Amino acid sequence: MVERYDSRPIGVFDSGVGGLTVFKAIARRFPAESLVYLGDTARVPYGSKSARTVERYTLQVGAFLLRRGVKGVVVACNTASALGLDALRAHCAVPSLGVIEPGCRMALESSPGGRIGVIGTRSTIASRAYPSALMRANPRVHVVCAPCPLFGPLVEEGWTRHPATRLVVSETLAPLRRESMDTLILGCTHYPLLKEIIQEVMGPEIRLIDSAAAVARELDRHLGHDILPAPPGHARTLDFLVTDVADRFQDVARLFLEEIPVVQVSVVDL
Amino acid sequence: MVERYDSRPIGVFDSGVGGLTVFKAIARRFPAESLVYLGDTARVPYGSKSARTVERYTLQVGAFLLRRGVKGVVVACNTASALGLDALRAHCAVPSLGVIEPGCRMALESSPGGRIGVIGTRSTIASRAYPSALMRANPRVHVVCAPCPLFGPLVEEGWTRHPATRLVVSETLAPLRRESMDTLILGCTHYPLLKEIIQEVMGPEIRLIDSAAAVARELDRHLGHDILPAPPGHARTLDFLVTDVADRFQDVARLFLEEIPVVQVSVVDL
C-alpha cells in the first residue's frame, strides 16, 4: 500500500477568539498538521445575526481559506456550524467539519438516560440544529434547549468567576434545571470557560460536553480518508489571521492556547 | 427674505438599535422632518472593533445614506462618532453631526464643579474623543473615563433592572465613584436604559447626560443654516433600514420609540 500525504494546512474558522479552544485541541492531537486560524473579529459575534447573514459570512471565510490553500476546513463556531455548514459543503472544494455532529455524538455516548440539554447563542438555538442532529441519531432522546446570549460577553470580558456571572448563569439555566437533564452540551466555544460555574449551578452529576475534544476526535476519522495527513514529523506552521485588531486578540489567544505559541497574528480582508 | 426649504430626509445612523433613542428625540422635536434610520445590525457591535474598521464601516454607511438622498447625516453611535466622524466629514457631501460634541457641551453647561465622568464602549473610551472635546472647550475640566463593555449586552437582553446588572454596574463604575464626579456622560446610546441603576449606584447628586437630547438641540442649530428645513406641515416619512434581520429589530424598536410608529423595516445591503 502506498502512503499518501498532504502537507497543506487545515483551516480552523470562528467568528472571534472562542474557536481557539478547538484550535488547541486539534494542535495538541495532531502535532504534524499545519493549521491556519481565521477569526472574523470585524463582524463578531455571529450568534445574534440571521441565518442568511451567517451563511453569507461562512461562505466568504470558506472561499478565503481555500485561496490560502487549505486541505480541509473545521468550522469551530457553533453558530456558523448550525447555519452555514450545509452551504459551505455545497460550495467548498475540500471537506469541511462542524462542531455540532461531533458534539451530539459525544453527548449521546455519555448520556446515561438520554436527557440532553443544549445551550448556545440565540441563533444557534433558533436554528434547532442540535435537537435535529440528536433526534436523527436517536429518536427517543429528550432534548431541552436554552439560549444564553449573555455568557459570551461575560467570558470575553474575563468575568468567569464573578458573582454577577453566577447570577446570570443561574437564572439562564433555571429551565434546564427544572427538566432534570443528565448531560449538557456547551454549544458555544466560549462556554467551556464557564465550566466551573455551570457545573456548580447544574449540580455535580450532570455531564458537560465540550465540542473541542469532540471535533478533534472527528478530525481523526477524516485524516487518512477524505483528508490526507501531513507526513510524519512534518515541521508544521501555525498561522493566526483576524479580520480586525490583532492586539487584544494576542492577549486573549495566550489565555486560550496555553502552551501553543502565538508567533504572529495578521489582519486580513476577506 | 426668501424662505428656502428642503424636504429630503435626514439620515440617522447607528451600529444597531441603540440610536433609536436619538431618532426618537429628533422625530419628536422636528415633526415635519423626514427621517431614515440605518442600523448596521449585520456588523453590530462597533464598540469592540478597531478604529480602522469602525471608520471603514462609517464611510460605507455614509455613502449608502447619500445614495438614498439624505440632506444631512446624524451619527447616533458614539463609537462611530468617536472614530468615523472626521473621515465622514471629509468624504460626505452633506453636513454630518455626531453625538460627542453636543454631549460634551451639555455636560459642561450642567456641571457645577467641572468634574465630568464619561462611560462608553471600549473603543469609544480608547479613542479619547470625549476628554479631547471636553478639554478643548474647557482646559480646566477634570475628566475620568471608564469603559463599560458589558452594559450594551445587558440592555440588549432587557436585563435593565436585574440584580446581576446592578452588580456589573456597581463594579464597573467603582473607579468613577472614587473620583467623586459631579456629572456623568452616558457615552453610548444603550446606557440611558440603565439610567435608574446608574443613578442609584453613583448617587442622587450626580447629573446624567444623555446625548439624545443634546443632539436634537444641536440639529436645531443646523436647520436653517447648513441644512435647510422641511417645509412647515410637510407630510414626512419615517423609514427604518437594517443590514440584518428585521424581526427582532421591530420588537426592540417599539420599546425604544414609544409613540413613534414603526411602519416597516427593510433589510438592505450596504
Side-chain angles (χ1 to χ4, degrees):
Chain A
M1 195 186 123
V2 183
E3 294 283 348
R4 294 173 60 215
Y5 300 110
D6 186 340
S7 57
R8 288 180 300 165
I10 296 165
V12 179
F13 148 48
D14 185 51
S15 57
V17 294
L20 289 171
T21 53
V22 172
F23 185 94
K24 178 172 66 180
I26 294 174
R28 283 181 177 165
R29 187 162 181 149
F30 308 103
E33 295 295 339
S34 290
L35 303 175
V36 182
Y37 186 84
L38 189 288
D40 191 7
T41 47
R43 302 189 291 198
V44 73
Y46 285 10
S48 52
K49 283 153 198 169
S50 71
R52 173 180 162 272
T53 294
V54 173
E55 184 181 292
R56 186 157 59 92
Y57 290 174
T58 305
L59 288 175
Q60 282 174 6
V61 173
F64 175 87
L65 287 171
L66 272 188
R67 290 195 301 275
R68 295 279 298 202
V70 300
K71 63 182 174 185
V73 175
V74 175
V75 181
C77 171
N78 281 266
T79 304
S81 295
L83 300 171
L85 190 59
D86 287 344
L88 189 64
R89 284 183 173 149
H91 288 86
C92 190
V94 300
S96 44
L97 290 73
V99 285
I100 292 177
E101 284 159 24
C104 288
R105 205 166 296 143
M106 198 174 251
L108 289 165
E109 284 165 22
S110 66
S111 166
R115 299 184 64 83
I116 300 179
V118 181
I119 56 177
T121 63
R122 200 181 284 290
S123 300
T124 297
I125 299 305
S127 75
R128 299 193 50 76
Y130 272 105
S132 303
L134 287 166
M135 275 139 130
R136 255 197 318 274
N138 178 355
R140 287 176 317 170
V141 77
H142 180 69
V143 187
V144 178
C145 300
C148 303
L150 287 168
F151 290 12
L154 287 163
V155 168
E156 296 257 336
E157 293 309 316
W159 291 48
T160 51
R161 283 156 213 270
H162 197 277
T165 306
R166 189 177 311 270
L167 275 179
V168 171
V169 170
S170 170
E171 178 148 339
T172 312
L173 300 186
L176 294 176
R177 278 208 308 282
R178 279 195 296 274
E179 297 268 348
S180 59
M181 304 288 101
D182 57 44
T183 302
L184 179 62
I185 298 178
L186 307 178
C188 172
T189 51
H190 284 74
Y191 300 176
L193 289 142
L194 296 176
K195 232 174 189 171
E196 273 177 46
I197 289 187
I198 293 172
Q199 190 83 65
E200 224 180 284
V201 163
M202 293 300 292
E205 64 295 349
I206 196 147
R207 292 155 202 230
L208 303 184
I209 303 296
D210 168 358
S211 11
V215 172
R217 194 178 69 163
E218 185 89 351
L219 185 56
D220 211 6
R221 295 198 189 132
H222 285 267
L223 282 171
H225 292 92
D226 57 342
I227 305 177
L228 294 175
H234 172 236
R236 66 135 163 236
T237 55
L238 299 177
D239 286 324
F240 299 92
L241 310 175
V242 291
T243 54
D244 188 35
V245 258
D247 37 328
R248 233 191 131 228
F249 179 87
Q250 214 139 8
D251 300 337
V252 185
R254 289 211 184 85
L255 207 80
F256 273 74
L257 289 175
E258 297 176 315
E259 86 288 355
I260 313 284
V262 186
V263 178
Q264 212 206 324
V265 182
S266 312
V267 181
V268 297
D269 273 329
L270 294 184
Chain B
M1 197 184 121
V2 183
E3 295 283 348
R4 296 173 58 216
Y5 300 110
D6 186 341
S7 58
R8 289 180 300 165
I10 295 166
V12 179
F13 149 49
D14 185 52
S15 57
V17 295
L20 289 171
T21 52
V22 172
F23 185 95
K24 178 171 68 181
I26 295 174
R28 282 180 178 165
R29 187 161 180 150
F30 308 102
E33 295 296 338
S34 289
L35 303 175
V36 181
Y37 186 84
L38 188 289
D40 191 7
T41 48
R43 302 189 292 198
V44 72
Y46 284 9
S48 52
K49 282 153 199 167
S50 71
R52 173 181 163 270
T53 295
V54 173
E55 184 182 292
R56 186 158 59 94
Y57 290 174
T58 305
L59 288 175
Q60 282 174 6
V61 173
F64 174 88
L65 287 171
L66 271 188
R67 290 196 300 277
R68 295 279 299 203
V70 299
K71 63 182 175 184
V73 175
V74 176
V75 181
C77 173
N78 281 265
T79 304
S81 295
L83 299 170
L85 190 60
D86 287 344
L88 189 66
R89 282 183 174 150
H91 289 86
C92 190
V94 301
S96 44
L97 289 72
V99 286
I100 291 177
E101 286 159 24
C104 289
R105 204 165 298 144
M106 200 175 251
L108 288 165
E109 285 166 21
S110 65
S111 167
R115 300 184 63 82
I116 300 180
V118 181
I119 56 177
T121 63
R122 200 181 284 291
S123 300
T124 297
I125 298 305
S127 76
R128 300 193 49 76
Y130 272 104
S132 303
L134 287 166
M135 275 139 128
R136 255 198 317 275
N138 178 354
R140 287 177 316 167
V141 77
H142 179 69
V143 187
V144 179
C145 300
C148 304
L150 287 168
F151 290 12
L154 287 162
V155 169
E156 295 257 336
E157 293 309 317
W159 290 49
T160 50
R161 281 157 215 269
H162 196 278
T165 306
R166 188 177 312 270
L167 274 179
V168 171
V169 171
S170 170
E171 178 148 338
T172 312
L173 300 186
L176 295 176
R177 278 208 307 281
R178 280 195 295 274
E179 297 268 347
S180 59
M181 304 288 100
D182 58 44
T183 302
L184 179 63
I185 299 178
L186 307 178
C188 171
T189 50
H190 285 75
Y191 300 175
L193 290 141
L194 296 176
K195 231 174 191 170
E196 273 176 47
I197 289 187
I198 292 172
Q199 190 82 66
E200 225 178 283
V201 163
M202 294 299 293
E205 64 294 348
I206 195 145
R207 293 155 201 230
L208 302 184
I209 304 296
D210 169 357
S211 9
V215 173
R217 194 180 67 164
E218 185 89 352
L219 185 57
D220 211 6
R221 294 197 190 131
H222 286 267
L223 283 170
H225 293 92
D226 57 342
I227 305 176
L228 294 175
H234 171 235
R236 66 137 163 233
T237 56
L238 299 177
D239 286 322
F240 299 92
L241 310 176
V242 290
T243 54
D244 188 35
V245 258
D247 35 330
R248 233 192 131 226
F249 179 88
Q250 213 139 10
D251 299 338
V252 185
R254 288 211 184 86
L255 207 79
F256 273 74
L257 288 173
E258 296 176 316
E259 86 288 355
I260 312 285
V262 186
V263 177
Q264 210 205 327
V265 182
S266 313
V267 180
V268 296
D269 274 327
L270 293 184

